[in-house]
Amino acid sequence: MPSVARIPTALPAKTAGADVVVLGADGAPLADAEVVVEQTSHAFGFGNIGFDFLPLVGGPAPEGVEDVEAFGTASSLDLETLSDAWLGLFNQVTLPFYWGRYEPRRGEPDRERLRRTAQWFADRGVTVKGHPLLWHTITPSWLAGLPLDEVEQLQRERSRGLTAEFAGLIDVWDAINEAVIMPVFDNGANRITDLARDRGRIATVKLAFEEARAGNPSATLLINDFDLGSAYECLIEGLLEAGVAIDAIGLQTHMHQGYRGEEWTTAMLDRFARYGLPLHMTETTIVSGHLMPPEIDDLNDYRIPDWPSTPEGEARQADELVRHYRTLVGHPSVRVINAWGITDEGAWLGAPVGVLRKDGSRKPSYDALHGLIKGEWWLAPTTVRTDAEGRIRVEGFEGGYRATAGGASADFGLTGGDGAITLRLPA
Amino acid sequence: MPSVARIPTALPAKTAGADVVVLGADGAPLADAEVVVEQTSHAFGFGNIGFDFLPLVGGPAPEGVEDVEAFGTASSLDLETLSDAWLGLFNQVTLPFYWGRYEPRRGEPDRERLRRTAQWFADRGVTVKGHPLLWHTITPSWLAGLPLDEVEQLQRERSRGLTAEFAGLIDVWDAINEAVIMPVFDNGANRITDLARDRGRIATVKLAFEEARAGNPSATLLINDFDLGSAYECLIEGLLEAGVAIDAIGLQTHMHQGYRGEEWTTAMLDRFARYGLPLHMTETTIVSGHLMPPEIDDLNDYRIPDWPSTPEGEARQADELVRHYRTLVGHPSVRVINAWGITDEGAWLGAPVGVLRKDGSRKPSYDALHGLIKGEWWLAPTTVRTDAEGRIRVEGFEGGYRATAGGASADFGLTGGDGAITLRLPA
């Protein structure tokens, strides 16, 4: 039996194993030798938004956005505090491309600022996602009054243009956001709502995917929604019937009104898993303060001057986040979890949804998540001994790994199921 | 100006007018003569269920249905009381074809009883509708445990067989009932739910329409649902995208928890009208007793030993029914309103939803509806005088009309907009 490097808890859905034969620089099996095996990355997407980094890394916002809704931008925390915390946990970032903020003045996009920020994350090994290409909220004011055909043309150019310009740097996009409610949502005069109502949901989603695909054929394109009921199921079924090539189903779970629990979550995931597509938990929040009252229907309607994070709330948040991440990571179809905020400062609705407090200090939830992502689900450097054929065994989460012996290292990956790997150490 | 026969209130959406030139038996214009004009039928469908008539007209229920859920069967009222009231108001009847009651023992359908009942209505000028061909509730017990492919085959045979057998007598069908919830509704083990979950909603609706259409190519086929939100919209959009030929959209409005009002109703109708299909209000109820508590989610969960009709409730019901019928008839897309019960006796959930009390006496709602359907919206015999060219003018609801002069009568119809009609009286 070869010596085994393995994580303490295996989740059948997300873990893999391999027999690894380690060869020396001469190509001969490294028999009966000590090898240090360690994990270097997760294949699973543990994500968060990176909105806070735009001013810190990208630079000041363009003129014209002063009156456009914004959130997720901490103004007092420095880059070091934020980036240490962020990079310590996460490997996938969501950056904001809301049309009204990205192009507050027609023809003057906020391109370079977004590019610098995306590049900063990419340079640190983080997968960058853009959100969202098509949505009826935060639309630019100059869209008002334009004929629908022109609105459609502009939207098509936007979807195709952004995916093309950022290809290679951003290869994951929410192609469309909240299409279920799109034609009937009443948030004031809004040409995207008008477009969706006139063309119908399926035609609108279709054009969103068509253009994004044309702009970047290898992108991962999501549909994303907060409606997790029959409406979304029906829409997805209609889209699949219409041949729309959805790469992943985005599921929002903003739980400002309370954690929904394991049973609800699993049943919901099973309903959406039956379409055979990867599930991305695109927007996940659990608050560390009081809960929003249950009678609030649209979360946006709850605006209070101060929503504090409390010790009791922080303990509850840590517990619930761990339970929620266990449920999600344990489900075979879930591939990404994006939290919706790193710090409470500037968070959406002013809610204490971060894993950092407003002052940048870490909540119990930070350590709790770290204990999973970089603890229980992570293979720390582990010394094993090869057998007579140079073989060791590695078992852990799907992702990147490194083996080191006699000062030389070689990288390898574990993906799905059980495999056999031959690894040659460099000279 | 010709003399005019017209109803007091014209609803632009549903009324029509025509200049009618009346010719005598000799073919010459009947100049300057008295003509009595009267309406003989409504093109608009004012319907109700006719479940009560099955035992009275069709005969006793087949063996094996004792344990199968049933409603809408008065046991103490006689045929004369029921039929006088029913035929005094309604022109479209819904008859029950719930699989579990229609074929409680495999291969032994309740065909002749249904045929006799349908024929009884057809003989009285009533349009007969069958409900429903495919549904996950009231399925036959012998379906349990069969392989899904066999279940699909049996369902296909049922949908095609029933529409074919009854063609000419029943040409309107709910091809499928409550498809939105079908794959996820939990009402115990049930092979239709299993089928819908396995095949998907669109494939299930498609097979329902395919087979019904094959059985009776000229039938009016409905999709019918109680979900009047985005889910149903999304499903319809997917079905239209998939090329499913829906003839009319069925909208259930069981208002046991209270009348939803004109504003809600109009907004809802507008949402579904944009698909350009006729809307049928398939199942309409307004109670004449206390309201079901708002916290009840599934109406079926509210079972009480006695739900009395009260004087206050009856006054409210009459008022609300009139308001509701005015809203519905006034909407351009609505073509049919089916009430869901003629008498409170044996009504669904025991609710006082009828226009007759349990003892068969008429509630205020009966007279109120009569005042609309056969009063305000009905052209009673009206004497007009032709001009020198034999011309009169008729304005009223779309439907059948009769002109009588000198003991001779001729029938004509008013349909959509304004027309010119030449009518020759027989010898």
Side-chain angles (χ1 to χ4, degrees):
Chain A
M1 286 289 291
S3 178
V4 184
R6 65 157 67 97
I7 53 171
T9 310
L11 280 160
K14 298 291 153 47
T15 46
D19 290 330
V20 181
V21 174
V22 184
L23 309 179
D26 60 357
L30 200 70
D32 200 31
E34 280 198 345
V35 177
V36 177
V37 178
E38 63 187 306
Q39 188 170 351
T40 54
S41 66
H42 268 299
F44 192 93
F46 292 104
N48 206 326
I49 55 173
F51 298 8
D52 308 274
F53 292 81
L54 255 78
L56 294 171
V57 171
E63 285 182 40
V65 299
E66 301 74 19
D67 300 329
V68 185
E69 184 189 343
F71 65 88
T73 307
S75 55
S76 68
L77 301 182
D78 61 29
L79 179 59
E80 192 182 344
T81 304
L82 274 174
S83 60
D84 280 357
W86 204 104
L87 297 167
L89 273 185
F90 304 112
N91 62 7
Q92 171 157 331
V93 68
T94 298
L95 292 182
F97 283 84
Y98 303 108
W99 199 351
R101 292 192 64 84
Y102 184 72
E103 194 181 356
R105 292 178 182 171
R106 187 168 176 176
E108 299 177 22
D110 192 12
R111 185 181 295 126
E112 292 318 312
R113 198 166 73 112
L114 265 299
R115 186 185 298 283
R116 280 191 294 276
T117 311
Q119 190 65 56
W120 186 90
F121 278 104
D123 289 346
R124 285 152 183 81
V126 174
T127 300
V128 188
K129 176 187 172 185
H131 164 86
L133 291 169
L134 195 169
W135 193 29
H136 52 269
T137 298
I138 322 185
T139 56
S141 54
W142 50 264
L143 215 55
L146 296 184
L148 278 193
D149 285 347
E150 187 177 350
V151 171
E152 180 181 333
Q153 191 50 38
L154 287 166
Q155 176 65 61
R156 284 185 179 273
E157 287 166 11
R158 168 177 155 84
S159 292
R160 184 187 290 237
L162 278 175
T163 48
E165 286 164 23
F166 284 89
L169 183 55
I170 304 182
D171 294 325
V172 186
W173 288 93
D174 285 327
I176 189 164
N177 201 33
E178 303 177 358
V180 167
I181 209 175
M182 191 170 281
V184 294
F185 184 55
D186 186 9
N187 65 344
N190 163 1
R191 295 305 274 163
I192 298 296
T193 290
D194 297 341
L195 184 73
R197 188 170 171 103
D198 184 79
R199 309 296 205 250
R201 289 179 179 87
I202 291 180
T204 306
V205 178
K206 216 182 217 176
L207 78 84
F209 275 78
E210 252 171 38
E211 298 296 339
R213 185 76 65 202
N216 181 353
S218 61
T220 297
L221 301 180
L222 284 83
I223 181 170
N224 186 39
D225 219 295
F226 68 86
D227 186 320
L228 305 181
S230 292
Y232 197 26
E233 295 173 39
C234 288
L235 177 62
I236 291 166
E237 292 176 30
L239 292 168
L240 296 177
E241 184 68 30
V244 178
I246 300 166
D247 294 315
I249 295 173
L251 306 167
Q252 302 178 20
T253 45
H254 290 293
M255 300 190 275
H256 297 71
Q257 293 169 315
Y259 172 52
R260 295 183 196 151
E262 287 86 343
E263 194 183 349
W264 178 89
T265 303
T266 299
M268 185 276 289
L269 294 172
D270 286 346
R271 280 192 292 110
F272 288 99
R274 72 198 145 106
Y275 303 116
L277 292 167
L279 304 180
H280 290 204
M281 309 306 293
T282 50
E283 308 181 17
T284 302
T285 47
I286 293 181
V287 296
S288 68
H290 71 264
L291 300 181
M292 188 188 290
E295 65 269 19
I296 304 287
D297 188 36
D298 183 340
L299 301 188
N300 287 291
D301 293 339
Y302 185 70
R303 303 279 179 165
I304 51 173
D306 186 42
W307 193 339
S309 185
T310 63
E312 304 76 19
E314 291 183 0
R316 191 191 61 225
Q317 183 200 38
D319 172 63
E320 291 172 347
L321 269 178
V322 165
R323 290 165 56 195
H324 198 46
Y325 272 62
R326 281 195 198 285
T327 308
L328 298 175
V329 172
H331 194 284
S333 294
V334 177
R335 306 288 169 80
V336 175
I337 309 172
N338 285 312
W340 204 247
I342 176 84
T343 166
D344 295 351
E345 202 199 350
W348 183 48
L349 307 175
V353 302
V355 288
L356 304 183
R357 300 186 191 92
K358 286 185 180 176
D359 65 4
S361 60
R362 297 180 181 186
K363 297 182 189 174
S365 56
Y366 188 95
D367 297 323
L369 276 189
H370 196 273
L372 291 177
I373 298 171
K374 294 291 175 71
E376 191 179 320
W377 298 338
W378 184 261
L379 185 66
T382 303
T383 303
V384 286
R385 200 162 186 89
T386 58
D387 64 8
E389 282 82 40
R391 194 163 46 213
I392 57 172
R393 182 161 175 84
V394 182
E395 294 175 4
F397 262 58
E398 295 179 17
Y401 288 80
R402 177 170 300 151
T404 305
S409 292
D411 291 338
F412 62 100
L414 288 187
T415 51
D418 207 76
I421 293 169
T422 300
L423 201 65
R424 184 162 175 169
L425 294 170
Chain B
M1 285 291 290
S3 178
V4 183
R6 66 157 66 96
I7 54 171
T9 311
L11 279 162
K14 298 291 154 46
T15 47
D19 290 329
V20 181
V21 175
V22 185
L23 309 178
D26 59 357
L30 200 70
D32 200 33
E34 279 197 344
V35 177
V36 177
V37 178
E38 63 187 306
Q39 188 170 352
T40 54
S41 67
H42 269 297
F44 192 94
F46 293 104
N48 206 327
I49 55 172
F51 298 8
D52 309 273
F53 293 80
L54 255 78
L56 295 170
V57 171
E63 284 182 39
V65 298
E66 301 74 20
D67 300 329
V68 185
E69 184 189 344
F71 64 90
T73 305
S75 54
S76 69
L77 301 183
D78 60 29
L79 180 59
E80 193 181 344
T81 304
L82 274 174
S83 61
D84 281 358
W86 205 104
L87 297 168
L89 274 185
F90 303 112
N91 64 5
Q92 170 157 331
V93 68
T94 298
L95 292 182
F97 283 84
Y98 303 107
W99 199 350
R101 292 193 64 82
Y102 184 71
E103 194 181 354
R105 293 180 182 171
R106 187 168 177 176
E108 299 177 21
D110 191 13
R111 185 181 295 127
E112 292 317 313
R113 198 165 73 112
L114 265 299
R115 186 185 298 282
R116 280 191 295 273
T117 312
Q119 191 65 55
W120 185 90
F121 278 105
D123 290 345
R124 284 152 183 82
V126 174
T127 300
V128 187
K129 175 187 174 186
H131 164 87
L133 290 169
L134 194 170
W135 193 29
H136 51 270
T137 298
I138 320 185
T139 55
S141 54
W142 50 265
L143 214 55
L146 295 185
L148 278 193
D149 284 347
E150 187 177 351
V151 172
E152 178 181 334
Q153 191 50 38
L154 288 166
Q155 176 64 60
R156 285 185 177 274
E157 287 166 10
R158 167 176 156 85
S159 292
R160 185 188 289 237
L162 277 175
T163 49
E165 286 164 22
F166 284 90
L169 183 56
I170 304 182
D171 294 324
V172 185
W173 289 93
D174 285 327
I176 190 164
N177 202 32
E178 303 177 358
V180 167
I181 209 174
M182 192 170 280
V184 293
F185 185 55
D186 185 9
N187 65 345
N190 162 2
R191 294 306 272 163
I192 299 296
T193 289
D194 297 341
L195 184 72
R197 190 172 170 101
D198 184 79
R199 309 297 204 250
R201 289 179 180 87
I202 292 181
T204 307
V205 178
K206 218 181 215 176
L207 79 84
F209 274 78
E210 252 171 36
E211 297 297 339
R213 185 78 64 203
N216 181 355
S218 61
T220 296
L221 301 179
L222 284 83
I223 180 170
N224 186 40
D225 218 294
F226 68 87
D227 186 320
L228 305 181
S230 292
Y232 198 25
E233 295 174 39
C234 289
L235 177 61
I236 290 167
E237 292 176 30
L239 292 168
L240 296 177
E241 184 69 30
V244 178
I246 300 167
D247 294 315
I249 295 173
L251 306 166
Q252 302 180 19
T253 46
H254 290 293
M255 299 189 276
H256 295 72
Q257 293 169 314
Y259 171 52
R260 294 182 198 154
E262 287 86 343
E263 195 184 347
W264 178 89
T265 303
T266 300
M268 183 275 290
L269 294 173
D270 286 346
R271 279 191 292 110
F272 288 99
R274 72 199 145 105
Y275 303 114
L277 292 167
L279 304 180
H280 289 204
M281 309 305 294
T282 49
E283 307 182 18
T284 302
T285 47
I286 293 181
V287 295
S288 68
H290 71 265
L291 301 181
M292 187 188 291
E295 64 270 18
I296 304 285
D297 186 37
D298 183 339
L299 302 188
N300 286 292
D301 293 339
Y302 186 69
R303 304 279 178 164
I304 51 174
D306 186 42
W307 193 339
S309 185
T310 64
E312 305 75 19
E314 291 183 0
R316 190 192 61 224
Q317 182 200 39
D319 172 63
E320 291 171 348
L321 268 179
V322 166
R323 290 165 56 196
H324 197 47
Y325 273 63
R326 280 195 198 285
T327 307
L328 298 175
V329 172
H331 194 283
S333 295
V334 177
R335 307 288 170 79
V336 174
I337 309 172
N338 284 312
W340 204 248
I342 176 82
T343 167
D344 295 351
E345 202 199 351
W348 182 48
L349 307 175
V353 303
V355 287
L356 304 182
R357 301 184 189 93
K358 285 186 179 176
D359 64 4
S361 61
R362 297 178 181 188
K363 297 181 189 174
S365 56
Y366 188 95
D367 298 323
L369 276 189
H370 197 273
L372 292 177
I373 298 171
K374 292 295 176 66
E376 195 180 316
W377 297 339
W378 184 260
L379 185 67
T382 303
T383 303
V384 287
R385 202 163 183 89
T386 58
D387 65 9
E389 283 83 40
R391 193 164 47 214
I392 57 172
R393 181 160 176 83
V394 182
E395 294 176 3
F397 261 58
E398 294 178 18
Y401 287 80
R402 177 170 300 151
T404 304
S409 292
D411 291 338
F412 63 100
L414 287 188
T415 50
D418 207 76
I421 294 169
T422 300
L423 202 64
R424 184 163 175 170
L425 295 169

